Amino acid sequence: MSGTQAKSTNYFYPLPVIDATSSVDIDVSFKLSESLAVKEEGQPPAELIAWINNVPHSVPLDNDPDDMGIHHQKVRIAPSTLERATFLDVSFEARGLRSEAPCADNDVNRWIYVSSDSQVTLPTSNGNTNNEVFLNMTSLFATEKGMVLVVPDEDSMATMKNVANVISGLPITPLTHQIEVVRASELDESMLEDQSVMFIGNPEETAVLKEKQDEWVVSGDEGVDLTQYGFTPETSAEYAWIQPSPWNTDRALVVIASVDSIDSSLMQTLAFPNETFSVAVKNQNGAIFTNSSTMSNQADAAETDVAEIRSTNSIWYFAGFAVLIALTVGLLLLMRRRKKSS
């Protein structure tokens, strides 16, 4: 950035869920022109501004550079700046680089270079990847291969409305790659080998998806079984789930299911989640429930198991150490006795 080009382009990054306890840091690496590194009398003070989702954050320029002449500053972003945001929008602006002296054209000698080594540190999502929970569904659409959206073959007004509600509720960002829309009867399984996929409608009526029913996380002995997550099937009007794709476990399978209508409020819950869940249900009264409590219990159990394993390992470690000491002492006594007898 210089006096004639004071602003950078915008850079975008998919965001996981940001809550009041989350923290996002930006480590800014930059270089200064010699005219800025050495303050000259009569020159206006320079300032570097990091714009984070349209909120300005000042980046100090007065710290000492490293051996390569590069300055490093860490900027902490308040959670309130990013809450409910699906992506991080970062740009930089330099102020005070243009000379105010009309007869001195030295703007070209005053510049700030922000290095590509700058990094964004995002909060983790409780150890769950983006193809296991809805916490970071936005990033699915930012993958290089894009995503496949499978819609029902039926052309009724109700079906078209459902498709419209889903598409309008998708977390589209400037990072979103191609979303390929295909009808269920025209879906080729080869399309799913390297792409995540989202199905709309009744999953038991889509042949390609039905063939993988044994691998569904909501599968039961007689089809879809929501009772395993504590839901009552009779009152579950709409539901959705996410899981690793049966066609490629590194990708995601997302199903937005309904035998009737899909409400925009369900999509709002999926696209902008405030908790960790993999299954969501909207009942006939319009209330939306998730399996977040089940997943929390699983996470707690996993932590307990790890603690027990560590505790057990520690016990065996000390027991083995005690046995080793006993063997060493016994060996020394045996050698002493043999020495005396000889």
Side-chain angles (χ1 to χ4, degrees), residues 225-238:
D225 178 19
L226 297 176
T227 58
Q228 58 185 303
Y229 297 103
F231 304 120
T232 305
E234 291 76 17
T235 61
S236 302
E238 309 164 38

Side-chain angles (χ1 to χ4, degrees), residues 53 101 135 232 282 294:
N53 287 26
L135 266 181
T232 305
K282 180 181 178 182
T294 302

Side-chain angles (χ1 to χ4, degrees), residues 194-270:
D194 202 25
Q195 293 176 284
S196 293
V197 58
M198 176 180 289
F199 286 88
I200 301 176
N202 189 340
E204 298 185 285
E205 293 181 355
T206 305
V208 174
L209 184 57
K210 177 71 173 178
E211 292 174 358
K212 302 292 184 179
Q213 186 166 351
D214 290 343
E215 301 179 51
W216 298 354
V217 296
V218 297
S219 182
D221 294 334
E222 299 180 0
V224 175
D225 178 19
L226 297 176
T227 58
Q228 58 185 303
Y229 297 103
F231 304 120
T232 305
E234 291 76 17
T235 61
S236 302
E238 309 164 38
Y239 59 96
W241 83 83
I242 185 173
Q243 67 174 80
S245 172
W247 297 276
N248 183 342
T249 54
D250 291 331
R251 304 302 180 189
L253 163 65
V254 180
V255 180
I256 316 295
S258 176
V259 294
D260 187 12
S261 62
I262 297 175
D263 193 86
S264 57
S265 60
L266 177 61
M267 288 303 303
Q268 181 77 9
T269 300
L270 305 181

Side-chain angles (χ1 to χ4, degrees), residues 86-87 138 141 167-177 179 271-272:
T86 58
F87 60 92
T138 302
F141 297 88
I167 292 178
S168 63
L170 294 179
I172 304 300
T173 78
L175 286 178
T176 298
H177 286 265
I179 299 177
F272 303 99

Side-chain angles (χ1 to χ4, degrees), residues 68-95:
M68 302 296 293
I70 299 177
H71 300 256
H72 302 274
Q73 286 285 4
K74 179 176 289 187
V75 179
R76 174 63 56 88
I77 311 303
S80 57
T81 304
L82 304 173
E83 283 181 324
R84 309 295 289 180
T86 58
F87 60 92
L88 180 69
D89 177 1
V90 181
S91 64
F92 296 93
E93 179 183 3
R95 297 175 180 176

Side-chain angles (χ1 to χ4, degrees), residues 56 75 92 116 129 137 160 174 231 300 321 333 338 342:
V75 179
F92 296 93
S116 59
T129 60
M137 187 171 68
M160 293 300 100
F231 304 120
D300 293 341
F321 189 65
L333 291 175
R338 286 183 176 178
S342 63

